[in-house]
């Protein structure tokens, strides 16, 4: 038995200036950059997350710009196995997360629990 | 003066079977398909949205599969003008929404108010 829920959006940006990218998305979405958040470091900037809502994080990447979503879980191997049964495939196993590809083509990540409040809104899988 | 907020995610799928695509994402995210929602019609399927959260809608498209986000507003022209000042550009004007492109490369849409609860969580722009 394990649990998972959608964690949030990652806005992958192929740009040099991560702070400029974060400023654009902060202003566009009306969610200020949260510089004190542990998710704001290196190539990442976290926007402020209203309680109970999905997070939005800006990431500097080398591949083309896109948006992907993260699923957070208390058991990454079990969640990856569940998603494989649904038709997703493993794209890359990282030290702390797994990049998967949906049968519809989009990449997404399975990550450890990130947002406060877990397991509120999570689904329990047997 | 107008208001806007992030509305939700659109999972754009280049596939034939929109119901199969919606089933995958519903199971993956733990949000059942909501067949009675007005957002479930034609090439669209809406997943159930927990109160106060962002919506997730699956869309059948002709272009490559990706994910985009929508910003909902009570004044589309004013919101588009605001986003243009931030550096976004208009990609395509549709009858009821505008496709824009962020300076970081991602496409997103500016749409009329979609989710219940507006303007909760929206930002007021002067």
């Amino acid at each position: 038995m394990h649990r998972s829920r959608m964690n949030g959006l990652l806005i992958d940006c192929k740009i040099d200036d991560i702070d400029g990218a974060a400023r654009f998305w902060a202003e566009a979405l009306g969610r200020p950059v949260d510089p004190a958040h542990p998710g704001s470091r290196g190539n990442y900037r976290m926007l402020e997350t209203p309680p109970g809502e999905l997070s939005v994080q800006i990431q500097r990447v080398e591949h083309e710009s896109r948006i992907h979503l993260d699923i957070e879980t208390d058991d990454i191997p079990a969640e990856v196995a569940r998603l494989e049964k649904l038709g997703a495939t493993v794209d890359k196993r990282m030290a702390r997360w797994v990049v998967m590809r949906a049968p519809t083509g989009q990449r997404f990540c399975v990550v450890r629990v990130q947002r406060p409040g877990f397991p509120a809104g999570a689904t329990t899988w047997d």
Side-chain angles (χ1 to χ4, degrees), chain A residues 11 21 31 35:
Chain A
I11 302 183
R31 290 189 175 197

Side-chain angles (χ1 to χ4, degrees), chain A residues 66-78:
Chain A
R66 58 186 178 229
I67 294 178
H68 76 264
L69 59 80
D70 276 7
I71 294 173
E72 60 183 349
T73 178
D74 52 14
D75 187 335
I76 289 180

Side-chain angles (χ1 to χ4, degrees), chain A residues 1 3 17-18 23 30 32-33 43 51 53 56 62 69-70 77 80 82 85 88 112 114 116 122 124:
Chain A
M1 189 214 88
R3 294 170 295 194
D17 178 11
I18 180 65
R23 271 196 305 275
V33 178
N43 288 326
E53 285 206 40
V56 178
E62 300 294 325
L69 59 80
D70 276 7
V80 168
R82 183 183 79 82
K85 273 188 206 143
R112 296 184 299 181
Q114 308 282 318
T124 299

Side-chain angles (χ1 to χ4, degrees), chain A residues 16-70:
Chain A
D16 293 325
D17 178 11
I18 180 65
D19 287 306
R23 271 196 305 275
F24 168 77
W25 284 104
E27 280 290 317
L29 303 177
R31 290 189 175 197
V33 178
D34 185 351
H37 193 283
S40 293
R41 65 189 191 283
N43 288 326
Y44 296 85
R45 297 291 181 275
M46 183 66 86
L47 304 189
E48 287 182 11
T49 307
E53 285 206 40
L54 299 173
S55 64
V56 178
Q57 197 175 23
I58 319 302
Q59 182 179 6
R60 179 167 49 198
V61 297
E62 300 294 325
H63 58 69
E64 80 276 21
S65 288
R66 58 186 178 229
I67 294 178
H68 76 264
L69 59 80
D70 276 7

